[in-house]
Amino acid sequence: MAAPSGGRIGGGSASLWAALLLAAVALRPAEAVSEPITVAFDVRPGGVEHSFSHSAGPGDKYTCVFTYASQGGTNEQWQMSLGTSEDHQHFTCTIWRPQGKSYLYFTQFKAEVQGAEIEYGMAYSQAAFERESDVPLKNEEFEVTKTTVAHRPGTFKAELSKLVIVAKAPRSEL
């Protein structure tokens, strides 16, 4: 499958399916989805590349890695939340700034999943906070592949506050 543009894998029906999956996961009873793990970390300016990663699932089956470089004021507190479905076949990774908007200027970003393939990925310039809503990046600012959501050099406008990934374990052939 070729790398699609924007935040959708496989076109309209796949993005609709991913949206329905997200809604179903959100609306399921608490016992149907593992308790998400939320870990705080600092996003540091300075223009050099930094990475933060965390794993979830049985035996830490899935890993989410956030790699970035940014410029601007001081460190910002961000969070990474990881969760798996009850059958451990779906994995979610959300990376965001809880205060809604980052004041750092991102020169690059990439969120990568290991142990799964991305079915839905989206990047936002602003995360929901108080009365504000998520503000998605334009499709031309980022790209989604089977394992990454990353900035597009030359079109990314340096604003990032949230990344959302839903991935599925690869099928094992018998």
Side-chain angles (χ1 to χ4, degrees):
M1 174 190 301
S5 63
R8 293 153 197 71
I9 294 285
S13 65
S15 62
L16 175 61
W17 185 89
L20 291 172
L21 172 67
L22 284 171
V25 168
L27 296 174
R28 282 183 172 181
E31 66 274 8
V33 178
S34 70
E35 280 297 314
I37 300 164
T38 299
V39 183
F41 66 100
D42 280 339
V43 169
R44 300 173 297 212
V48 296
E49 189 173 281
H50 296 281
S51 283
F52 180 81
S53 65
H54 205 72
S55 299
D60 288 339
K61 177 179 180 177
Y62 303 113
T63 301
C64 189
V65 182
F66 178 52
T67 304
Y68 67 92
S70 67
Q71 297 280 6
T74 60
N75 293 355
E76 290 181 346
Q77 183 90 133
W78 281 52
Q79 293 183 348
M80 179 183 284
S81 290
L82 309 168
T84 61
S85 60
E86 184 179 70
D87 63 3
H88 303 293
Q89 294 302 300
H90 285 90
F91 167 65
T92 61
C93 175
T94 304
I95 303 158
W96 83 101
R97 182 157 198 265
Q99 290 77 14
K101 180 117 175 96
S102 174
Y103 295 99
L104 297 175
Y105 175 90
F106 284 82
T107 56
Q108 66 181 46
F109 75 85
K110 177 173 74 172
E112 178 181 10
V113 294
Q114 297 167 354
E117 292 184 357
I118 295 175
E119 292 190 330
Y120 175 83
M122 194 64 194
Y124 300 87
S125 62
Q126 179 176 309
F129 181 69
E130 294 180 350
R131 290 179 281 195
E132 302 295 323
S133 298
D134 287 341
V135 177
L137 293 182
K138 293 180 178 163
N139 286 339
E140 61 268 12
E141 292 186 75
F142 70 103
E143 64 185 343
V144 179
T145 68
K146 287 183 180 183
T147 58
T148 65
V149 176
H151 78 287
R152 267 206 187 126
T155 58
F156 173 56
K157 294 183 176 64
E159 293 183 87
L160 183 69
S161 292
K162 183 177 180 180
L163 292 162
V164 176
I165 295 173
V166 177
K168 185 174 182 180
R171 292 184 186 163
S172 46
E173 300 295 324
L174 296 177

